[in-house]
Amino acid sequence: MNLYSGWLLTALHASLLQTAYPLIDSVDPHGFIMYRLFRDATRYMDGHHVKDVSCLNRDPSKVIIVDCKKEAFRLQPFNGIALKKWDGNSDDRTLYELAAFLKTIAVNGVDDIRAVLENYALEDDPIEAFKKRQELLAQEEQQRITDRSQQKPSGLSLGSLTSKLWQRSKPQ
């Protein structure tokens, strides 16, 4: 399954066009991002550039804002996910882990993304919280499988079941 199938990817970057365009090109060399919006598409409020979902002419239940600052999506806090700011570490896997998060949302057919993002709104690192929840679910599923495999069979086979249902009377 193509993660981007049926998705409309838009980059809304608070930087100036000259700074952000090469950055987006490096992250998206294959052109999956269909629209690129920059600082002029944000609202400047209380010293911050704020991204406003209502200006996108899209269904807000299907829009996710990804940023490293919660202030960037404060107008619609449950449309956003705040990632840890990249510190230049080449081992950083945050965008790959974000892709796993988005794929999980896509595979599960979430009707309203805001219900999912609300569950992560108070987390310092929502992607790390997602990974921990996934690990916990995997452990619980493995425990269920182990428990089922350790259950003793009831001792009833088809032959033993039919013999109990149609017992022959003992000759007298």
Side-chain angles (χ1 to χ4, degrees):
M1 179 176 104
N2 182 351
L3 174 61
Y4 305 108
S5 178
W7 290 33
L8 173 66
L9 297 179
T10 302
L12 175 52
H13 204 283
S15 296
L16 297 172
L17 178 131
Q18 303 89 313
T19 307
Y21 221 91
L23 175 65
I24 295 169
D25 281 342
S26 69
V27 172
D28 182 35
H30 301 291
F32 290 113
I33 297 174
M34 296 159 215
Y35 300 100
R36 297 174 180 207
L37 305 172
F38 302 98
R39 182 175 287 177
D40 60 337
T42 65
R43 293 181 185 217
Y44 193 72
M45 302 172 69
D46 302 323
H48 300 281
H49 290 276
V50 180
K51 299 168 183 176
D52 187 358
V53 170
S54 70
C55 295
L56 295 177
N57 195 26
R58 299 286 181 256
D59 178 358
S61 70
K62 307 290 184 206
V63 176
I64 301 172
I65 298 173
V66 179
D67 205 295
C68 61
K69 297 177 185 172
K70 287 186 178 186
E71 297 87 17
F73 50 84
R74 71 180 187 193
L75 292 175
Q76 295 92 10
F78 299 134
N79 279 98
I81 184 167
L83 303 180
K84 289 202 169 214
K85 187 172 181 169
W86 184 58
D87 62 3
N89 181 348
S90 61
D91 294 331
D92 187 307
R93 309 270 312 150
T94 304
L95 292 179
Y96 290 105
E97 292 161 356
L98 173 65
F101 177 75
L102 296 174
K103 185 174 184 176
T104 301
I105 291 169
V107 167
N108 286 292
V110 173
D111 290 327
D112 191 337
I113 192 61
R114 297 169 293 192
V116 174
L117 296 180
E118 183 177 7
N119 287 301
Y120 293 93
L122 298 177
E123 300 286 349
D124 289 332
D125 187 345
I127 297 299
E128 188 62 32
F130 167 73
K131 284 176 32 184
K132 286 180 181 177
R133 291 178 191 181
Q134 289 295 96
E135 289 168 7
L136 182 61
L137 286 171
Q139 289 171 358
E140 289 173 0
E141 181 61 22
Q142 186 59 45
Q143 186 61 47
R144 276 193 290 278
I145 291 169
T146 302
D147 291 347
R148 281 189 201 137
S149 68
Q150 291 176 349
Q151 289 177 347
K152 292 184 178 180
S154 65
L156 294 176
S157 65
L158 183 57
S160 66
L161 183 59
T162 55
S163 68
K164 292 184 185 294
L165 291 173
W166 291 285
Q167 290 181 351
R168 292 185 180 152
S169 56
K170 293 183 181 179
Q172 298 180 358

